[in-house]
Amino acid sequence: MHNMVLVEGGTFMMGSDDGYPEEMPLHKVTLSSFLIGKYEVTQELWESVMGNNPSYFKGSKRPVERVNWYDVVEFCNKLSDKESLQKAYTIDKIKKDMNNRCSDDLMKWIVKCDFDANGYRLPTESEWEYAARGGKKSMGYEYSGSNNLNDVGWYGASNNSGNRTKAEGTSEVGRKQPNELGLHDMSGNVWDWCWDWDGDYSSVSQTNPRGQNSGYMRVIRGGSWGYSASYCRVAGRYNEVTIKKNGGQGLRLVRTSN
């Protein structure tokens, strides 16, 4: 279930001038066209590629979770191999990545991305936000596809429509309304891992930015079933240690549009 949607390249204002400090300053970003998953990666897709299902909240059409950043880059490469596409990632598990400054991460694999390859990869943070905003079709919503989060996202455990309890966790993908590009669950359900190291924004205009050269944590975006509405905003930013696995983090696939 990895239907891909073309996001036509363009220029947008990334961040927020009235949100949290980490979302500032508002700055201009220009992106090339790319393909992005209509849905978050499901457990059935993950299992078909990796041979296991690490998720806590089981369900074939639910998003996979309890996967760390290393798990998801390996998944991308294996799915690319399976579909005879060029692998986006080169992974060295022997040497340690000196750009990874997190003392809790004892793995520190060196992962390099070939953004010209046609295989699967994670979105950059700017690609994620541009897609969540609706790309060139953006209507300027606070959340991905609406100003009413209940219409488009599973969030905040029992705060959400349907009176779900915290124990129920994630929901099947695609059950809420899509955004302007036809993408589901960009706000809520599970966090989406991104490529970028977390870091401060610059006010300088950028083209196809790929984040900091080093850092302590990788960016995650979109909020989740267990987080409040503020985290589900299209401008909202968060981060996580690369080795961390919990029930809130999954992924959405991207491919470079060649």
Side-chain angles (χ1 to χ4, degrees), residues 4-138:
M4 305 295 282
V5 174
L6 176 65
V7 182
E8 188 181 348
T11 300
F12 75 112
M13 297 305 294
M14 184 171 179
S16 170
D17 56 6
D18 60 358
Y20 295 102
E22 63 269 19
E23 299 160 12
M24 303 176 190
L26 203 61
H27 57 290
K28 185 182 291 186
V29 173
T30 300
L31 294 175
S32 303
S33 299
F34 59 96
L35 299 161
I36 192 167
K38 183 174 184 177
Y39 308 105
E40 290 167 325
V41 169
T42 60
Q43 293 173 34
E44 65 181 354
L45 176 57
W46 183 276
E47 193 163 3
S48 73
V49 174
M50 304 297 279
N52 61 61
N53 181 4
S55 308
Y56 182 79
F57 302 106
K58 292 288 196 284
S60 63
K61 297 290 194 295
R62 288 186 177 196
V64 71
E65 24 86 8
R66 294 185 72 83
V67 289
N68 68 25
W69 192 84
Y70 298 116
D71 294 330
V72 299
V73 295
E74 281 205 301
F75 168 81
C76 289
N77 269 3
K78 288 188 176 184
L79 182 57
S80 296
D81 262 348
K82 189 175 180 180
E83 298 188 4
S84 300
L85 299 170
Q86 301 162 332
K87 289 188 287 193
Y89 296 116
T90 303
I91 303 172
D92 185 339
K93 301 181 182 181
I94 307 301
K95 296 175 184 173
K96 299 294 184 185
D97 185 359
M98 294 297 101
N99 293 319
N100 183 339
R101 303 204 300 272
C102 178
S103 58
D104 292 334
D105 183 353
L106 301 180
M107 295 171 68
K108 293 192 177 180
W109 296 353
I110 298 175
V111 181
K112 295 179 180 177
C113 185
D114 177 1
F115 286 92
D116 292 324
N118 65 5
Y120 294 100
R121 59 178 176 83
L122 297 177
T124 63
E125 185 177 18
S126 55
E127 286 173 334
W128 189 96
E129 184 169 322
Y130 182 58
R133 289 180 178 276
K136 283 191 168 182
K137 299 178 180 179
S138 178

Side-chain angles (χ1 to χ4, degrees), residues 178-189:
N179 76 352
E180 301 93 316
L181 291 171
L183 308 176
H184 292 266
D185 301 306
M186 294 291 284
S187 291
N189 216 359

Side-chain angles (χ1 to χ4, degrees), residues 128-218:
W128 189 96
E129 184 169 322
Y130 182 58
R133 289 180 178 276
K136 283 191 168 182
K137 299 178 180 179
S138 178
M139 302 291 289
Y141 296 127
E142 184 174 9
Y143 307 105
S144 185
S146 179
N147 287 324
N148 180 354
L149 183 51
N150 280 325
D151 290 342
V152 294
W154 301 102
Y155 71 102
S158 58
N159 295 342
N160 206 1
S161 57
N163 296 316
R164 297 175 65 75
T165 66
K166 193 161 186 176
E168 289 177 290
T170 60
S171 298
E172 290 187 357
V173 300
R175 288 180 57 199
K176 295 281 188 174
Q177 294 175 18
N179 76 352
E180 301 93 316
L181 291 171
L183 308 176
H184 292 266
D185 301 306
M186 294 291 284
S187 291
N189 216 359
V190 292
W191 292 98
D192 295 338
W193 280 108
C194 293
W195 164 256
D196 308 38
W197 288 111
D198 184 44
D200 294 336
Y201 283 156
S202 165
S203 59
V204 177
S205 297
Q206 296 174 294
T207 299
N208 294 324
R210 287 156 190 171
Q212 313 290 320
N213 292 323
S214 63
Y216 294 90
M217 298 185 182
R218 297 281 182 172

